[in-house]
Amino acid sequence: MIFISAHADTNYKRVNLRIEGDSYVGYLDNYAGVYTAVKAFFSGEINFDYVRIELTPDEEIDMRGARQVAKEVKKNDLVIVIDVTGTPTDKDFVIEKCQSHIVRKFLVKVLDGFSYDIYADCPDPVANEDEVDVYKHKTEYCFFLGIPCHGGDYNFEDTKCKIRSIEHAAEAVIKICREYDKFIPAE
Ligand SMILES: [Zn+2]
């Protein structure tokens, strides 16, 4: 199975969004991640026989949503956590906390031609706790797919993210799901 997990709760009472040129500006944590997951869903190109999309509650409180989903995650499942990141980059998206060299190798192959950075650790200066910290106890095959948001603390103020970041991150998710059969690790 592939689990795609994007937290749907926020730190805000009210939100805002505007488009400035090629970017979204507003409260983006984690509407940017949810939008990416939902964009991948509505592509019609995902085979839900082996993919689950989970828009989780309460990440900002105690990660309750991820902890619920994690109960169903098995040892060899692949988990993709989609959330905003403050990691500096001029690429479309950033893969973080990708500890498994098997997953790294798979991603590098599958995402050939995409514009992204990939890290085994978490270089995000804004926050380094996320749902990966829950899922990693169930499977080593998990990683964080970060939508780069710049210009502030995405937890509490406006930040800016490229429209193409979300489009290309969604395409990457679709590609990963489609090529998953080339990944499936031995039991
Ligand atoms: Zn978040």
Side-chain angles (χ1 to χ4, degrees), residues 39-59:
K39 241 180 147 57
F41 173 79
F42 279 103
S43 70
E45 292 180 52
I46 289 181
N47 182 345
F48 291 103
D49 288 345
Y50 61 89
V51 177
R52 278 174 56 172
I53 295 183
E54 299 285 345
L55 305 180
T56 58
D58 294 342
E59 191 261 5

Side-chain angles (χ1 to χ4, degrees), residues 8 44 56 61 64 66 82 91 108 119 130 136 144-145 161 169:
T56 58
I61 301 167
R64 184 181 59 93
I82 312 178
K91 306 283 176 52
V108 166
Y119 298 94
D130 53 67
K136 72 180 181 190
F144 181 95
L145 178 59
C161 113

Side-chain angles (χ1 to χ4, degrees), residues 7 29-30 59-60 83-84 154-155:
H7 75 86
D29 182 10
N30 185 28
E59 191 261 5
E60 303 286 6
D83 203 343
V84 296
Y154 48 66
N155 283 298

Side-chain angles (χ1 to χ4, degrees), residues 50-137:
Y50 61 89
V51 177
R52 278 174 56 172
I53 295 183
E54 299 285 345
L55 305 180
T56 58
D58 294 342
E59 191 261 5
E60 303 286 6
I61 301 167
D62 58 2
M63 305 221 187
R64 184 181 59 93
R67 287 194 280 111
Q68 286 296 326
V69 174
K71 287 180 183 163
E72 294 178 60
V73 172
K74 299 202 174 61
K75 197 169 157 275
N76 286 329
D77 288 338
L78 178 66
V79 182
I80 307 169
V81 171
I82 312 178
D83 203 343
V84 296
T85 181
T87 300
T89 185
D90 55 2
K91 306 283 176 52
D92 290 336
F93 54 88
V94 181
I95 291 170
E96 299 170 13
K97 297 190 176 179
C98 188
Q99 295 277 345
S100 160
H101 70 273
I102 296 172
V103 176
R104 276 209 302 280
K105 212 171 136 189
F106 167 69
L107 291 176
V108 166
K109 199 170 179 184
V110 162
L111 299 181
D112 184 39
F114 282 87
S115 157
Y116 68 102
D117 294 321
I118 184 164
Y119 298 94
D121 57 351
C122 176
D124 183 349
V126 180
N128 59 19
E129 269 182 34
D130 53 67
E131 293 183 331
V132 170
D133 300 307
V134 173
Y135 296 119
K136 72 180 181 190
H137 300 293

